[in-house]
Amino acid sequence: MSEVVKLQLIGLSVVGVGIVILLFVRAQFARVIGFVAIVLGLFSLVALAVPQMASLPPAEEKFDIATVKTPTDMAAIGQKIFFSKGQCALCHSIGPSESARCPDLKGIGAKLSREFIFESLTQPQAYIYLDYRHEGLPKEYPARMPYINRNPIGLTKNEILSVIAFLQQMSGEPISVNPSELEVPGQAPAAPVKAGESDPVAVAKAH
Amino acid sequence: MIPRDEVSAMQFGGASIQRVLRTTGGLRGVLAGLMVAVGLLALPSFGVAADTPAAATEYRDIPGIGSRNIVWVIAQLHLLLAGFVLGVPIFAWLCEVVGWKSGEKRYDKLAKEFTKLLTSSYATTALFGGILLFLLIAFYPKLMNYLTDIFFPSFIFYCILFLLETATLYLYWYGWDAMQDGGKKTFHIFLGFLLNLFAFFIMIVPNSWATFQASPVVISEGTDLQRAWAATWNPTWWPVNIHRLIANVVLGGYICGAYAGIRYLAARNAEERDHYDWMGYVGNFIGVFGLLPLPFAGYWLMREIYQYNQQMGITLMGGFLSWLFILQAMLIGVLFLGSNYYFWLGITHRIPGSEMRYRKPIMTMLVILLLCLGVWMTPHSLVASLEEARKMGGTHHPLLGVFGVMSAKMTVANLMILVTFMSFIMYWRAGKQETATWAKVAKSVMGGVLVLAGIAVIVLGVWGYFVPAIIRINYFSTSQVLIVLFVMLTITPLTALLLKSAKTTTEMVWGRMPPRAGYALVLNAVMVILLMTLMGYARSSSRVHWHIYGVMRDSSQYAFSPALGYAAAFMALNTFLFCLLVAFIFWVATMGDKGKAGGQGEAAKGALPHGMPAMAGGSPHHSERG
């Protein structure tokens, strides 16, 4: 018996007890408890009737450099990261979508160079200029794209390269990222750049 | 960003004391004394710490039940009790001020009886707060060390606030009878104001700890006070402060209403029915008074979350929590319906002969509310199989997809607020005839304002489909909110002015409400409590797998947010336990009165205002005028 079914049975029992109390008990306080039980039981049953989705922490893609032989291997890992730890699909779509809030990434690997994509992911503010849409002095225009190499997403350089490989593959382009560019842990600083290490005010500017 | 290792965290106590002494300047002497006293009391624990090697314990657990489940229940009960303890003084103080200004003693008695609840509920809240603190320290030592490091100065401030609040509460409660006349009464009112002021700060200080977890601001430079201040003034702090303040008023009002509803159902004579009917009216009135601006505060909070971090906003509104907002719509919808239903019952039962007169407008309002609720509860994307999706031509239903978007939801939420406001105005004006010479013009203006506002809200809602989201969010939705606020801020004083000189054509008769009115009041209170538990889960889940978003990751086995069904079972359990606790507090607080009344027999009963039980004063028919 699944957890949902068990909870549904409990919810139904609570509603049933409430109905019995209302039908057969005359004491007012008990009747109110019965009424509250019915309300709470119904609420639980409605909540159990909607899609049940838990939010799991993103799966860490294990980067066993030895097993990554070809650019296609990197693209396969990049695809997983795109839809999980990278959270790219939260805002972007691949192909037109009504619900996407940010640019459609279909064909992006063909439109942009890998260097530009890398910079867009790690320095989203780089090509955003000043905002003049108000009185007074212009302000720095806030990029909506988060720093993908910083927390809370915090992709490593290897993971970012894999995502670029995926974007290029998905655009029908030859993958220009090579497994030889991957950094072997311990030999180079592959850890994500932690927010606040360079910035005195760090985390509030997460995006 | 998580700078201290466990060893340095163990040394934190001494360093923090030095830091707080360094940063608090003029209060050094007082604080030093306080610190010495606290330090002496804490000596045994330092001894234990010194003997123990610096263990890197990040989490502790209780197998079977699970540490998170225990914390969930205790934290929720503490927060609900805190909402009650902070909401009741606002409610009581408002009643006292009304009684003071109008001279109607029944309001003063109602305020006093609710203040009486504070002493026992205050202790219960503190008890649960203490249990929660011990559990958090035990289960999440690393997180608590980190938070202590950031917020230590505010801990001291919080303790001082508690001392002030407790002293003020004692003076306010025990001085009630002694401060009834003249300047003393004014001073008592001032004490009530102070009580609420301290309570407000007691609420916003821990709010800063909780909101810091969702939208942290960490500065690596500056003094401890500067670090704590930066962390306190984080992007979601004020939106949550305002949202919770209003929500506490709503909770206090509806719980008062529910209590009155239960006592009304159990009333044994006409006087009791009169009295509890009136109390239910006051509770519902204050609940609705708070409920009307509450969605605006919620909107501001969501806007700030989006501004702070778009991913967090999307996780809440468009991610795995999106279905939660359908449940929220259902609960708010039932609350609006319940509140309006109670108003309508009041009009048709308390004002003799008005049943037929108001039937048509009530039916119209009911239909509008149900239609709005239907739109609000429409999900944006449906759970559909591939084949069903193909038939629909996409993941969105051709008709329902149109109603599932924010533009439609914002529009209907504003319309529901307008309808509820009109219910309230209708109830206010029922049984009275305006005598002012300008009454006709004023009524035309009010009608015009209402109709134009309704049209403007709908037009902006439809127009919202054809503009970019950022324009809709920044300008259209904000305009809708401002339009509805404008209606409230113009029609309320205008109606008050009109009714000042109005003559009463039909006296309101209390105690004639059918039993379902009592159940409606209970339902409203349950809806508010469920809503608070639901949004607590949303707030906590929006941090996903982070204790402190982007700063400290949750690496425990509970680093996931459970699905809605499982969470709803906990919400229902917590709501039920809270209701039982509140019922217990009411029972304990009124036990003495019943004992007194019962012990002195019928003669004593007669000595009370018209044989009323001591709870909350006399009936409106026989109210004493001060």
Side-chain angles (χ1 to χ4, degrees):
Chain A
M1 194 187 288
S2 71
E3 190 180 59
V4 171
V5 175
K6 276 185 205 163
L7 289 170
Q8 280 172 332
L9 284 177
I10 294 172
L12 279 172
S13 311
V14 169
V15 174
V17 168
I19 291 172
V20 169
I21 290 174
L22 283 186
L23 285 177
F24 299 108
V25 179
R26 301 318 312 162
Q28 279 300 338
F29 187 67
R31 289 173 67 80
V32 171
I33 288 181
F35 175 70
V36 172
I38 293 172
V39 173
L40 295 178
L42 287 175
F43 167 72
S44 304
L45 289 172
V46 172
L48 285 161
V50 302
Q52 300 297 306
M53 289 177 286
S55 166
L56 301 174
E60 294 288 333
E61 291 305 324
K62 293 227 170 98
F63 237 110
D64 187 358
I65 306 268
T67 61
V68 183
K69 304 283 185 199
T70 63
T72 318
D73 293 343
M74 285 182 75
I77 294 174
Q79 183 173 6
K80 286 182 189 165
I81 293 168
F82 185 94
F83 289 103
S84 58
K85 185 182 174 186
Q87 298 182 31
C88 317
L90 201 61
C91 307
H92 294 283
S93 63
I94 299 173
S97 163
E98 283 177 25
S99 55
R101 290 156 190 270
C102 301
D104 172 9
L105 296 184
K106 190 171 184 189
I108 202 80
K111 289 178 199 160
L112 304 175
S113 70
R114 55 169 280 188
E115 288 76 19
F116 191 93
I117 298 176
F118 189 88
E119 190 178 58
S120 303
L121 293 172
T122 55
Q123 295 177 55
Q125 201 70 37
Y127 282 94
I128 308 283
Y129 293 116
L130 296 173
D131 178 9
Y132 289 89
R133 296 177 307 174
H134 53 80
E135 295 289 321
L137 293 173
K139 289 178 184 169
E140 195 177 79
Y141 193 88
R144 297 198 171 274
M145 179 74 193
Y147 289 85
I148 222 77
N149 56 336
R150 292 186 190 176
N151 280 336
I153 295 174
L155 294 191
T156 63
K157 188 182 171 192
N158 288 351
E159 289 169 330
I160 293 173
L161 289 175
S162 302
V163 170
I164 294 172
F166 165 64
L167 292 175
Q168 290 181 331
Q169 186 194 48
M170 175 263 292
S171 308
E173 283 290 298
I175 301 171
S176 65
V177 186
N178 199 292
S180 62
E181 294 175 59
L182 295 175
E183 288 173 346
V184 180
Q187 288 188 0
V193 179
K194 278 188 180 170
E197 280 182 355
S198 55
D199 239 348
V201 178
V203 185
K205 293 180 177 174
H207 64 275
Chain B
M1 194 43 59
I2 309 162
R4 291 169 191 278
D5 59 24
E6 295 302 319
V7 178
S8 65
M10 295 294 283
Q11 295 162 347
F12 167 76
S16 295
I17 292 168
Q18 285 172 8
R19 275 202 300 273
V20 82
L21 289 178
R22 200 174 62 232
T23 51
T24 43
L27 289 169
R28 195 167 292 171
V30 180
L31 281 171
L34 202 70
M35 289 293 123
V36 169
V38 172
L40 285 173
L41 289 170
L43 269 180
S45 64
F46 277 115
V48 172
D51 294 340
T52 317
T57 306
E58 288 190 23
Y59 301 102
R60 293 188 186 90
D61 196 11
I62 292 185
I65 309 171
S67 59
R68 186 174 67 172
N69 289 341
I70 299 173
V71 167
W72 193 344
V73 173
I74 299 296
Q76 190 69 73
L77 288 176
H78 173 61
L79 281 166
L80 288 168
L81 281 164
F84 179 67
V85 165
L86 299 176
V88 165
I90 301 173
F91 175 86
W93 187 69
L94 285 175
C95 287
E96 192 191 5
V97 170
V98 170
W100 179 49
K101 283 282 167 199
S102 67
E104 286 194 56
K105 284 286 180 191
R106 58 183 167 141
Y107 282 103
D108 195 77
K109 286 181 179 175
L110 180 67
K112 186 184 171 189
E113 292 304 321
F114 271 88
T115 304
K116 181 196 281 186
L117 295 173
L118 280 179
T119 46
S120 48
S121 50
Y122 194 70
T124 316
T125 310
L127 172 72
F128 275 87
I131 296 171
L132 176 63
L133 181 63
F134 284 131
L135 291 178
L136 288 174
I137 292 170
F139 292 149
Y140 301 93
K142 187 179 169 189
L143 169 67
M144 293 307 285
N145 262 332
Y146 182 75
L147 288 175
T148 308
D149 193 20
I150 297 272
F151 284 109
F152 186 70
S154 73
F155 289 0
I156 300 293
F157 183 56
Y158 191 57
C159 293
I160 293 168
L161 280 173
F162 251 103
L163 292 173
L164 291 170
E165 173 79 352
T166 309
T168 315
L169 175 62
Y170 287 159
L171 281 172
Y172 188 63
W173 166 241
Y174 289 107
W176 200 293
D177 292 330
M179 297 184 217
Q180 274 295 304
D181 305 309
K184 284 183 184 171
K185 186 65 181 170
T186 313
F187 180 66
H188 193 259
I189 297 276
F190 176 67
L191 281 177
F193 169 75
L194 273 187
L195 186 72
N196 281 297
L197 185 72
F198 294 140
F200 177 70
F201 280 102
I202 283 181
M203 177 188 73
I204 68 172
V205 171
N207 277 356
S208 70
W209 311 333
T211 52
F212 171 80
Q213 286 188 267
S215 52
V217 177
V218 183
I219 53 171
S220 49
E221 291 160 9
T223 63
D224 293 312
L225 211 53
Q226 284 169 333
R227 289 172 65 215
W229 184 241
T232 299
W233 201 290
N234 65 70
T236 55
W237 185 43
W238 272 104
V240 166
N241 288 342
I242 300 301
H243 196 51
R244 279 199 169 155
L245 177 70
I246 301 173
N248 288 343
V249 176
V250 177
L251 181 74
Y254 279 122
I255 284 189
C256 164
Y259 170 75
I262 295 170
R263 295 299 295 257
Y264 180 79
L265 289 170
R268 290 186 186 143
N269 53 49
E271 283 88 354
E272 279 189 15
R273 271 201 299 280
D274 286 4
H275 175 61
Y276 290 114
D277 186 15
W278 172 75
M279 193 195 281
Y281 156 75
V282 175
N284 189 59
F285 174 81
I286 291 184
V288 172
F289 177 75
L291 182 64
L292 293 180
L294 195 58
F296 305 143
Y299 178 75
W300 179 36
L301 174 59
M302 268 316 297
R303 201 169 176 279
E304 289 300 314
I305 290 174
Y306 265 102
Q307 291 279 333
Y308 166 68
N309 188 308
Q310 185 142 239
Q311 292 148 278
M312 187 182 269
I314 295 172
T315 302
L316 269 168
M317 301 296 285
F320 92 104
L321 288 172
S322 56
W323 279 93
L324 177 143
F325 283 88
I326 302 297
L327 287 186
Q328 188 212 27
M330 179 187 78
L331 294 178
I332 296 179
V334 173
L335 187 56
F336 270 114
L337 280 172
S339 302
N340 278 287
Y341 181 63
Y342 187 78
F343 273 136
W344 300 336
L345 280 177
I347 292 173
T348 50
H349 287 84
R350 289 184 189 134
I351 302 165
S354 64
E355 217 165 307
M356 291 313 290
R357 193 178 157 201
Y358 289 102
R359 182 166 280 182
K360 226 174 180 175
I362 285 173
M363 280 308 288
T364 312
M365 287 194 271
L366 178 64
V367 170
I368 296 174
L369 282 178
L370 288 175
L371 285 175
C372 289
L373 180 57
V375 173
W376 199 352
M377 282 183 65
T378 305
H380 185 206
S381 48
L382 300 173
V383 182
S385 66
L386 202 62
E387 200 178 329
E388 288 168 331
R390 271 199 204 109
K391 278 184 191 164
M392 284 195 296
T395 53
H396 300 105
H397 189 274
L399 179 64
L400 296 182
V402 176
F403 293 130
V405 294
M406 273 312 288
S407 199
K409 289 176 195 292
M410 275 299 291
T411 306
V412 296
N414 280 297
L415 288 178
M416 285 176 90
I417 293 170
L418 273 179
V419 168
T420 306
F421 177 68
M422 288 322 293
S423 261
F424 159 69
I425 293 290
M426 192 170 81
Y427 183 88
W428 199 6
R429 285 170 50 175
K432 297 185 185 76
Q433 192 178 12
E434 296 86 1
T435 55
T437 48
W438 47 275
K440 215 171 180 179
V441 180
K443 283 201 288 193
S444 306
V445 169
M446 285 195 282
V449 165
L450 184 73
V451 171
L452 284 176
I455 292 171
V457 166
I458 294 170
V459 167
L460 284 170
V462 176
W463 197 356
Y465 285 89
F466 305 101
V467 294
I470 194 72
I471 304 285
R472 175 173 52 77
I473 293 166
N474 276 347
Y475 302 108
F476 286 22
S477 300
T478 318
S479 302
Q480 286 177 317
V481 166
L482 290 174
I483 287 168
V484 175
L485 280 176
F486 174 77
V487 171
M488 289 187 208
L489 293 176
T490 48
I491 293 186
T492 308
L494 211 53
T495 308
L497 270 177
L498 262 184
L499 294 183
K500 218 170 178 184
S501 57
K503 68 173 183 195
T504 304
T505 51
T506 318
E507 276 293 346
M508 211 167 270
V509 184
W510 300 92
R512 287 196 180 174
M513 292 284 258
R516 58 182 186 274
Y519 285 103
L521 290 171
V522 173
L523 178 71
N524 290 345
V526 172
M527 287 299 117
V528 169
I529 301 163
L530 270 178
L531 267 170
M532 290 174 83
T533 62
L534 184 78
M535 298 325 286
Y537 163 78
R539 198 179 53 74
S540 177
S541 299
S542 66
R543 284 187 276 114
V544 285
H545 53 282
W546 296 90
H547 286 311
I548 300 165
Y549 194 65
V551 175
M552 185 184 278
R553 197 181 160 128
D554 183 351
S555 55
S556 74
Q557 58 175 316
Y558 302 115
F560 68 94
S561 302
L564 262 178
Y566 180 87
F570 266 90
M571 292 168 207
L573 173 72
N574 290 337
T575 303
F576 189 70
L577 291 176
F578 175 67
C579 288
L580 285 185
L581 268 174
V582 171
F584 177 73
I585 288 167
F586 272 104
W587 179 67
V588 167
T590 55
M591 199 164 36
D593 303 331
K594 283 175 204 155
K596 254 188 251 168
Q600 289 166 22
E602 286 303 308
K605 212 174 172 189
L608 285 167
H610 307 279
M612 293 292 300
M615 183 71 195
S619 102
H621 291 308
H622 316 290
S623 63
E624 304 157 41
R625 290 216 159 236

